[in-house]
Amino acid sequence: MRVQRILPLLALLGAFIPAAAMAAFGFEDVAEKARDLASKPYQAPTPIPKFMQTMSYDDYQNIRFNPEKSLWRESGSRFQVMMVPPGLFYRHAVKLNVIDAEGSHGVPFRKTDFVFADSEVAKRVPANLGYAGFKLTYPLKGEKEQNQFMVFAGASYFRGVGRDNSFGISARGLAIDTGLSRGEEFPSFTEFWLERPSPDAQAMTFYGLLEGESVAGAYEFVVYPGKVTRLKVRSKLFPRQNIELLGVAPLTSMFYYGENTGRPRGEWRTQVHDSDGLQIQDGNSGEWLWRPLLNPRTLEMDYLMTENVRGFGLLQRDREFSDYQDLQARYELRPSSWVKTEGDWGPGQVVLVQLPTENETNDNIVAFWRPKDKVTAGQALEYAYEVQFGGAELGGNPMGRAVNSYVGDGSVIGGGSEKGAYRILVDFNGGVLDKQRPRAPVLSHVTATDGGEVLEHFVEYNEALKGWRLSVLARPAEKKPLSLRAYLSLGDETLTETWTYRLPANNDIRIPE
C-alpha cells in the first residue's frame, strides 16, 4: 500500500526535474534547426481554413480557451499556459512542445479545450487545427489568481505587462525592411518548446524557432514576471539572403495624438496613445535621448546613430487618468517597454518608423536597432538583450526628464510674432534636476539642424510642476522640417536628457497662411 502511494508521487516529482537533468534539449538544438532551415528554400506555413481567415473580430472573440484546461494547472503550478486559437489575423498554426523529465514532446490540439459561442463555427473547425500561440499566466496580484502577463501569437509578435499594467505595446522577434517602399517582411515563430517549471518557480524558460523568406533564427526566452516583467532573450539568426534593413529587438506601438499635436476634429479625449516617446541610452557617450512621438501625415523614418547602444524603448510617460479621460481604454495603464542590451552591439542606429493613422486601432509606431554593417546571406548573427514591460521609469534614466512637450504657432498671441515660426515648450523634472533650488542659474542649450533657426530660448522654474520649463521660438528653413535638440545645464553639469524633435513641414500645428 505504501509503495502504491509513493509511485504516483515520484512520477509527479519527475515532471519537475531541473532542466539540467532533463533529456538533452535546449537552445543549441533550436539553433541547429534554424541553421538547417536557412540552407534550404523557404516554405511558408500551411494556412488555416479560409473561413477562419475571413471571420469577423467578434466571431473570433467568441472562440475562447477554457482556463480550466490550462497547461500545468493540475499541479498547481504558478506558471500556467493558455492556448490561442488560430483565426482572423492568426492565419497559420504553430507547433507547441513541452520539455520535461521525459524529454521533448508535442502538445496535441484539443478542440474540446475551447468554448464556442457559435455552434456553426464549432462544427466547421477541424479537429487537427492546431494553436496560433500561447498566453502565460502567473499570480501577479495574489496567490489565488492567475493573471495573464505575456502572449506570443501572430508572426513574431509578443506582448507583456508588469503587475500594474494593462496590455498595449507589442514586441517582436525580428523586423525586416520595416518602412521601406518595397514592403515589409514578417517572419514568424513556427515552433515553441516550453520547459516545464517547478510548481513554485519564479522564472520560466522557453525556446522559439523563427522562419521567414530572408532568415531563420533560434531564440531562448527566460521570463521573470513582476511589477516589471523581464524577458531575457538570446538569439541566433541565419540570413538566407541579403537584408537591407534588419530590425533587432523591435517594439511596436500606437500614437494617434498627444499634447504635442493637434486634436482631431470631434475628439473629446485629451490624448490617445500607447506610448508618447522614444528613449535611447547611448553606450560610448552615455547620453540619454528623448524623442516625442508624432502621427505624421506621411511616413517618417529617423535613423539615430549609436555606438554600442545600452538600451532603447518606447515609453508611456503620461501616467494620470486626466491625461486621457478614457474609462474604457485606460491608456495611463499601458506599459512602457525597454530593451536593455547585453554585450557590445557595436555601431548602428536606432530606427524610428512613424506611420500616419486616422484612428487608434492601428499600431503606427515601430522602433528597433539596426547594425551598421551590411547583413549578407550565409553569415550568422547573435544578440542578447532583455525586454522589460512596466512603468515610465524603465531604463533607469538618472537625468532630468522631458515630461511635457507642447508645440504651437509662433506667430500668434502667446506664441510670438515671427512669421513661419513655432513656439515649443518643454517641461523637465526628475532625477538630478530636482536637486536644484528654484533660483538656480539653470541654462538652456538649443540647436537647430536642417537649416532651421533658433530665434530665442530661455528656461524658468515651473512652480506648478516643481520643475523647469524651456521655451523655444524657432523657424525651419522653407519647406523643410523643424529639427531641434535641447538640454538644460548648471554651469558645466548637464542636468537633463537631450530632448530631440523633428516636426515635418506638412503638419497640423501652424495656422495656414
Side-chain angles (χ1 to χ4, degrees):
M1 188 70 173
R2 184 176 299 170
V3 173
Q4 291 176 333
R5 292 177 179 173
I6 292 175
L7 286 177
L9 177 61
L10 291 175
L12 181 61
L13 291 174
F16 309 119
I17 294 175
M22 291 181 181
F25 186 92
F27 178 64
E28 292 303 327
D29 297 283
V30 185
E32 189 56 40
K33 288 177 178 286
R35 185 182 293 107
D36 181 61
L37 283 170
S39 66
K40 301 173 183 177
Y42 172 66
Q43 291 187 345
T46 302
I48 59 175
K50 189 70 174 179
F51 87 93
M52 297 196 73
Q53 297 181 39
T54 58
M55 62 174 36
S56 69
Y57 176 82
D58 289 338
D59 285 342
Y60 177 74
Q61 291 298 312
N62 283 331
I63 305 174
R64 298 186 179 274
F65 182 79
N66 181 358
E68 298 295 325
K69 304 295 184 179
S70 295
L71 200 60
W72 306 324
R73 189 179 184 89
E74 81 290 345
S75 66
S77 176
R78 292 165 69 82
F79 284 97
Q80 296 178 23
V81 186
M82 300 173 62
M83 307 307 176
V84 176
L88 194 57
F89 306 117
Y90 309 139
R91 301 196 169 185
H92 65 82
V94 301
K95 186 177 180 181
L96 297 183
N97 306 278
V98 167
I99 305 170
D100 57 22
E102 299 176 358
S104 173
H105 49 90
V107 178
F109 173 74
R110 287 189 291 266
K111 187 174 171 178
T112 54
D113 288 351
F114 294 88
V115 177
F116 295 86
D118 188 331
S119 59
E120 288 300 312
V121 171
K123 182 171 61 177
R124 299 176 66 186
V125 169
N128 63 346
L129 179 64
Y131 303 115
F134 59 91
K135 302 176 181 179
L136 297 179
T137 68
Y138 187 85
L140 278 178
K141 300 181 179 180
E143 290 299 320
K144 296 183 179 180
E145 180 182 358
Q146 287 294 123
N147 307 115
Q148 294 181 30
F149 72 91
M150 186 157 286
V151 181
F152 273 75
S156 66
Y157 284 90
F158 57 92
R159 295 191 297 160
V161 293
R163 184 193 64 201
D164 303 323
N165 303 132
S166 60
F167 281 99
I169 192 171
S170 299
R172 278 191 271 175
L174 203 64
I176 296 178
D177 294 343
T178 304
L180 300 187
S181 59
R182 65 204 232 173
E184 182 173 1
E185 177 185 333
F186 291 91
S188 298
F189 286 120
T190 57
E191 189 167 6
F192 290 97
W193 293 261
L194 314 177
E195 281 190 7
R196 181 166 187 163
S198 62
D200 60 349
Q202 297 182 344
M204 177 182 163
T205 301
F206 53 101
Y207 309 94
L209 177 65
L210 184 85
E211 296 185 61
E213 294 180 22
S214 300
V215 67
Y219 286 74
E220 177 186 72
F221 302 100
V222 184
V223 65
Y224 301 82
K227 181 178 180 180
V228 173
T229 290
R230 300 183 297 116
L231 183 70
K232 295 184 72 67
V233 183
R234 181 163 55 135
S235 66
K236 282 189 178 182
L237 307 175
F238 305 95
R240 283 191 173 92
Q241 52 191 261
N242 299 346
I243 299 174
E244 181 176 352
L245 183 55
L246 179 73
V248 180
L251 303 173
T252 301
S253 192
M254 179 275 294
F255 184 92
Y256 183 25
Y257 62 93
E259 63 200 14
N260 58 312
T261 72
R263 184 184 299 182
R265 185 179 180 88
E267 273 288 354
W268 54 269
R269 294 170 295 179
T270 314
Q271 302 182 65
V272 176
H273 49 72
D274 284 339
S275 307
D276 54 7
L278 169 68
Q279 180 176 266
I280 301 172
Q281 182 189 10
D282 191 46
N284 287 2
S285 68
E287 181 184 40
W288 289 86
L289 182 146
W290 176 252
R291 167 66 69 88
L293 299 178
L294 292 169
N295 178 6
R297 290 181 170 174
T298 58
L299 169 69
E300 291 284 325
M301 292 188 68
D302 293 297
Y303 298 84
L304 305 164
M305 300 297 298
T306 62
E307 290 286 341
N308 189 23
V309 62
R310 303 315 302 151
F312 65 92
L314 293 173
L315 307 187
Q316 184 78 313
R317 284 187 172 173
D318 291 331
R319 308 303 296 183
E320 300 296 328
F321 174 77
S322 57
D323 292 324
Y324 307 94
Q325 297 290 347
D326 194 324
L327 279 172
Q328 281 68 49
R330 299 303 302 272
Y331 286 110
E332 75 277 9
L333 301 179
R334 301 297 171 99
S336 299
S337 187
W338 178 255
V339 175
K340 180 182 178 182
T341 65
E342 296 182 9
D344 188 345
W345 283 27
Q349 300 164 323
V350 174
V351 181
L352 176 62
V353 182
Q354 300 180 101
L355 298 160
T357 183
E358 295 182 353
N359 54 56
E360 63 203 276
T361 63
N362 298 316
D363 284 344
N364 63 320
I365 306 294
V366 187
F368 52 83
W369 183 85
R370 72 172 300 190
K372 178 181 178 182
D373 295 335
K374 293 182 178 180
V375 177
T376 58
Q379 72 177 124
L381 303 170
E382 296 188 40
Y383 298 99
Y385 52 96
E386 182 174 287
V387 184
Q388 302 173 356
F389 299 93
E393 73 284 352
L394 291 186
N397 181 358
M399 311 299 290
R401 295 177 289 277
V403 294
N404 296 311
S405 298
Y406 303 105
V407 183
D409 195 323
S411 60
V412 298
I413 296 175
S417 58
E418 293 289 342
K419 184 178 180 181
Y422 295 89
R423 173 65 66 180
I424 299 101
L425 302 175
V426 185
D427 288 322
F428 292 92
N429 69 8
V432 296
L433 191 62
D434 286 352
K435 299 178 181 179
Q436 310 307 315
R437 66 187 189 279
R439 294 183 180 273
V442 174
L443 297 175
S444 58
H445 305 263
V446 184
T447 56
T449 58
D450 293 331
E453 179 184 8
V454 177
L455 302 173
E456 71 172 23
H457 64 91
F458 59 90
V459 61
E460 57 188 327
Y461 186 72
N462 183 344
E463 176 65 32
L465 189 66
K466 305 300 181 186
W468 298 78
R469 170 163 287 185
L470 168 65
S471 181
V472 180
L473 185 65
R475 181 164 45 215
E478 186 176 0
K479 297 182 180 180
K480 293 284 188 178
L482 177 63
S483 298
L484 298 171
R485 287 172 60 89
Y487 68 94
L488 306 183
S489 75
L490 183 65
D492 294 332
E493 181 187 3
T494 299
L495 299 177
T496 69
E497 64 192 4
T498 299
W499 174 90
T500 176
Y501 200 67
R502 187 174 186 274
L503 181 65
N506 182 13
N507 62 67
D508 60 358
I509 299 296
R510 204 168 60 222
I511 298 172
E513 298 175 359

